[in-house]
Amino acid sequence: GKGGAFSFGKSKARMMDETNNTVTFADVAGCDEAKEEVNEIVDFLKDPTKFQKLGGRIPRGVLMVGPPGTGKTLLARAIAGEAKVPFFSISGSDFVEMFVGVGASRVRDMFENAKKHSPCIIFIDEIDAVGRHRGAGMGGGNDEREQTLNQLLVEMDGFEASSGVIVVAATNRADVLDKALLRPGRFDRQVMVGLPDIRGREQILNVHMRKVPIGADVKADILARGTPGFSGADLANLVNEAALFAARRSKRLVEMSDFEDAKDKIYMGPERKSMVMREEERRNTAYHESGHAVIAKLLPKADPVHKVTIMPRGYALGLTWQLPEHDVLSGYKDKMLEEISILFGGRIAEELFVGQMSTGASNDFSRATKLARSMVTRFGMSDSMGVMVYEDSENEGFFGGATKTISEATQQKVDAEIRSILDTQYALSRRLLEENRDKVEKMTRALLDWETIDADQINDIMAGHEPREPKSGVL
Ligand code: ADP
């Protein structure tokens, strides 16, 4: 461990007191939103009673969610550093490999110690190791984990929120956590800490480049552009490796060539496989989103596209943002047909340009099918089936299955009609994308370069020009 951290009591938790934790918000870059969200916690820890008097809702548990190496631990330490309070840290995996009862008693000890040092922060890394929903897995060793989890829940309910202990936990799998952990009064705040975008990468590089002597030819913005998919930890590692190259070459400054070699080394190292995969996935996503966006721009009734991005947010890989032109629901037949085409655009672009399809399209597919089904069976929008309602969604599933009120023969006609709508819209999208290959390619390249493009850049591409440089602040 780092100097200043020490073990105490029976708890395996390490405490770092306010004098040797020097991490502040200035050390955490490229995640301004997350910093803003935790700022309130700093205010609270600085002066719990004053915070209460001002009427602030007292925070208790914060869950940081994001891939490894994105700065969740760093941010938790920075909260403690900014507020100048002690920081206790333990990893969820420390709890689980123990004899029955030990994990639970460690949790108890840790909270007891923390309360003595309040206001303070308890940080639990990899909380999913203990916090997986109960009953998951195959019994056996699970008893211990469940006891530990139960103890954690008891502790979180047991201390007064005003006692000044804040529990921060980190995970990259919020979806596997026991729902009990996320209830009000427990980890009821979630802060997303995602992979940094291009500007975030530049800022993170700048933070770490401050620590080494850097040559005049080194450009953080160029390095940021060449490191898509790198986490904060990857970028810190890049600066470190570059410094090692420079040292081996007996240089006094770290130069761009050292960074280039370091990047090659990282790409070829054990990390390589996941990075190459990330890069491939990024390219697929760029084509997929360009497919949606180009179709949305070409069809007359579709809402304007104001932004397209391949920055991963939450669980979606990318997004095409359309703003409705007027404040109406998409209730018109033409518009609904176009929506189906837009939904198909992503998948077709993958087919045409990548030659293989990702699972990213499966949700688009089910949405398109649902829309077509509603048009035929509920909205009376099919020419051949007429304006009759064939299915009442309110009754659907009431007795466990769909209520069958129509004959087998009619059902077949309904299915055929849905199929025909989908086929027609699919063919339309495919033709449009084939006729506009250059635009899809251009948009994909712009997305790979900038990750997010705005309405002006999209319009440039659709007009057949090169997109203008992004406005500052857009990314
Ligand atoms: P996580 O807890 O999300 O797995 P860490 O906080 O442990 O990631 O990050 C490991 C190291 O990577 C940090 O100590 C820091 O050097 C670097 N790092 C990660 N994210 C950032 C960031 N947003 N800004 C600056 N450095 C970062």
Side-chain angles (χ1 to χ4, degrees):
K2 294 231 168 78
F6 52 92
S7 292
F8 63 94
K10 283 170 282 174
S11 162
K12 215 175 174 182
R14 298 183 316 146
M15 181 178 120
M16 200 176 283
D17 72 31
E18 55 274 48
T19 49
N20 46 41
N21 177 16
T22 55
V23 179
T24 66
F25 281 159
D27 299 300
V28 196
C31 51
D32 294 341
E33 277 173 41
K35 277 200 263 186
E36 220 157 89
E37 284 180 60
V38 298
N39 210 5
E40 194 192 21
I41 295 162
V42 175
D43 288 341
F44 169 71
L45 289 169
K46 272 186 181 160
D47 194 345
T49 35
K50 185 174 142 210
F51 183 90
Q52 260 175 292
K53 278 198 196 112
L54 294 174
R57 196 178 74 88
I58 301 167
R60 192 190 295 230
V62 181
L63 186 66
M64 295 192 183
V65 185
T70 47
K72 298 182 291 298
T73 309
L74 193 66
L75 187 58
R77 280 180 60 189
I79 298 172
E82 290 281 341
K84 299 194 170 46
V85 301
F87 179 77
F88 296 83
S89 79
I90 192 156
S91 172
S93 56
D94 292 344
F95 287 130
V96 286
E97 78 247 1
M98 289 179 270
F99 300 112
V100 174
V102 176
S105 84
R106 286 211 168 151
V107 170
R108 210 162 32 235
D109 291 344
M110 183 177 69
F111 273 84
E112 218 160 84
N113 270 306
K115 276 181 257 181
K116 281 183 208 147
H117 290 85
S118 79
C120 68
I121 284 202
I122 293 179
F123 177 66
I124 307 175
D125 200 4
E126 298 176 62
I127 191 162
D128 39 294
V130 269
R132 230 162 250 274
H133 67 92
R134 285 164 288 190
M138 291 153 279
N142 267 351
D143 290 353
E144 171 57 14
R145 193 181 58 74
E146 288 193 8
Q147 269 193 32
T148 310
L149 173 58
N150 286 334
Q151 188 62 37
L152 183 62
L153 295 175
V154 166
E155 294 291 344
M156 288 204 71
D157 294 340
F159 71 87
E160 284 293 311
S162 56
S163 70
V165 178
I166 301 255
V167 189
V168 179
T171 183
N172 56 352
R173 298 286 316 268
D175 54 322
V176 302
L177 291 184
D178 199 296
K179 295 283 169 291
L181 275 169
L182 309 176
R183 289 218 188 99
R186 294 173 182 163
F187 295 100
D188 50 5
R189 291 192 192 185
Q190 291 201 12
V191 176
M192 289 288 183
V193 189
L195 286 173
D197 64 9
I198 201 163
R199 291 178 123 221
R201 293 198 297 273
E202 184 179 343
Q203 289 161 0
I204 295 172
L205 282 166
N206 280 326
V207 164
H208 290 279
M209 291 200 307
R210 257 181 244 139
K211 300 166 192 165
V212 288
I214 292 288
D217 69 332
V218 177
K219 299 271 178 290
D221 56 343
I222 292 175
L223 288 170
R225 200 179 266 210
T227 46
F230 273 50
S231 67
D234 295 331
L235 293 166
N237 186 27
L238 175 68
V239 176
N240 205 32
E241 287 289 343
L244 288 175
F245 268 108
R248 261 179 249 133
R249 291 162 179 164
S250 312
K251 295 195 209 168
R252 284 172 44 221
L253 297 172
V254 189
E255 294 171 318
M256 202 63 167
S257 59
D258 302 313
F259 276 97
E260 293 300 339
D261 292 339
K263 206 172 86 185
D264 290 347
K265 184 182 168 196
I266 291 171
Y267 265 116
M268 270 150 34
E271 279 281 286
R272 172 178 156 262
K273 215 172 149 201
S274 70
M275 284 205 187
V276 171
M277 262 163 54
R278 268 190 240 167
E279 194 43 37
E280 234 168 63
E281 188 179 270
R282 206 170 158 268
R283 195 168 151 264
N284 273 15
T285 307
Y287 275 116
H288 184 101
E289 294 308 319
S290 299
H292 286 313
V294 168
I295 298 287
K297 290 297 287 184
L298 291 171
L299 293 176
K301 296 258 177 4
D303 293 321
V305 183
H306 75 113
K307 190 171 159 187
V308 183
T309 181
I310 56 169
M311 253 320 280
R313 270 181 225 285
Y315 297 109
L317 287 177
L319 270 180
T320 296
W321 306 60
Q322 281 172 273
L323 280 182
E325 191 131 34
H326 309 289
D327 206 15
V328 287
L329 291 172
S330 48
Y332 295 103
K333 181 176 172 184
D334 296 357
K335 199 169 169 191
M336 287 175 100
L337 289 173
E338 292 192 354
E339 262 170 51
I340 294 172
S341 283
I342 295 168
L343 285 166
F344 280 144
R347 156 76 165 266
I348 295 169
E350 288 185 47
E351 258 176 54
L352 288 178
F353 297 90
V354 186
Q356 61 184 28
M357 285 156 273
S358 70
T359 50
S362 64
N363 186 39
D364 294 344
F365 255 65
S366 67
R367 278 174 60 198
T369 310
K370 247 191 206 146
L371 207 51
R373 177 173 297 280
S374 299
M375 289 180 69
V376 176
T377 61
R378 294 174 53 206
F379 304 143
M381 286 177 179
S382 142
D383 295 333
S384 66
M385 300 306 291
V387 290
M388 181 179 154
V389 172
Y390 293 93
E391 195 175 72
D392 186 351
S393 69
E394 313 303 334
N395 289 335
E396 209 177 338
F398 193 77
F399 294 106
T403 37
K404 264 240 154 54
T405 52
I406 51 175
S407 72
E408 200 61 43
T410 311
Q411 183 64 50
Q412 274 174 15
K413 274 212 263 169
V414 167
D415 288 344
E417 183 62 12
I418 293 168
R419 185 72 211 240
S420 134
I421 289 177
L422 292 174
D423 286 349
T424 307
Q425 296 317 115
Y426 189 92
L428 171 66
S429 282
R430 193 171 167 111
R431 182 172 60 75
L432 287 173
L433 288 184
E434 270 173 347
E435 287 168 4
N436 292 277
R437 275 176 174 269
D438 53 325
K439 284 163 192 141
V440 179
E441 290 285 12
K442 221 171 239 169
M443 196 175 291
T444 300
R445 235 173 304 130
L447 284 171
L448 290 173
D449 270 358
W450 290 308
E451 293 177 352
T452 303
I453 53 175
D454 65 9
D456 288 337
Q457 293 175 303
I458 295 165
N459 288 335
D460 290 343
I461 292 167
M462 294 310 292
H465 309 311
E466 285 304 317
R468 67 194 75 179
E469 288 283 314
K471 284 193 215 83
S472 61
V474 165
L475 302 174

